[in-house]
């Protein structure tokens, strides 16, 4: 389940609406949701015409307490690969597409850091 505030790093944007990805045997088999985010995901996956684009590629965990969730808002899209958002402490990264170790090759790829929308900003003690 992707929720508002999660990140689509392929498109370098914060999601505005929930999107449900159904996984079976390591592949995304259904994309549910309304609005731009779900439609962009559906179109991008389909554009490759390749089942492997829908495959789970890798996962990761953000562990850097100094990384900033709002980092994407500070850079032009051409100037960032979203490293800080990937590393943000507490997030879970789900990625699709190529995985050479599983012998799955494709041009399609998503990096989706999820599950760590900050509920309140950190406060400095002066």
């Amino acid at each position: 389940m992707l929720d508002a505030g999660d990140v689509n790093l392929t498109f370098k944007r914060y999601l505005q609406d929930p999107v449900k990805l159904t996984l079976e045997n390591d592949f995304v088999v259904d994309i549910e949701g309304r609005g731009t985010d779900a439609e962009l995901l559906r179109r991008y996956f389909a554009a490759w015409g390749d089942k492997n684009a829908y495959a789970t590629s890798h996962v990761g965990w953000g562990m850097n307490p100094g990384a900033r969730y709002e980092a994407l808002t500070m850079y032009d899209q051409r100037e960032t690969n979203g490293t800080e958002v990937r590393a943000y402490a507490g997030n879970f990264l789900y990625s699709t597409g190529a995985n050479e170790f599983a012998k799955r090759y494709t041009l399609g790829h998503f990096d989706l850091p999820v599950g760590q929308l900050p509920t309140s900003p950190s406060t400095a003690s002066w």
Side-chain angles (χ1 to χ4, degrees), residues 59-64 86-93:
V59 297
W61 290 265
M63 298 178 66
N64 184 344
R86 295 171 211 268
Y88 184 79
N91 82 38
F92 173 76
L93 176 71

Side-chain angles (χ1 to χ4, degrees), residues 2-71:
L2 308 175
D3 204 354
D6 288 337
V7 180
N8 179 334
L9 282 178
T10 301
F11 298 154
K12 297 179 183 173
R13 62 182 271 144
Y14 298 94
L15 275 65
Q16 299 297 307
D17 299 299
V19 178
K20 180 181 177 184
L21 301 178
T22 301
L23 301 168
E24 290 179 7
N25 298 318
D26 228 13
F27 287 83
V28 175
V29 295
D30 192 37
I31 303 164
E32 294 178 54
R34 291 196 216 161
T36 302
D37 299 312
E39 189 60 27
L40 287 173
L41 285 164
R42 283 189 285 268
R43 287 176 184 224
Y44 186 80
F45 272 125
W48 301 105
D50 183 356
K51 178 182 177 184
N52 285 332
Y54 294 82
T56 298
S57 174
H58 57 276
V59 297
W61 290 265
M63 298 178 66
N64 184 344
R68 302 298 301 251
Y69 165 81
E70 64 277 7

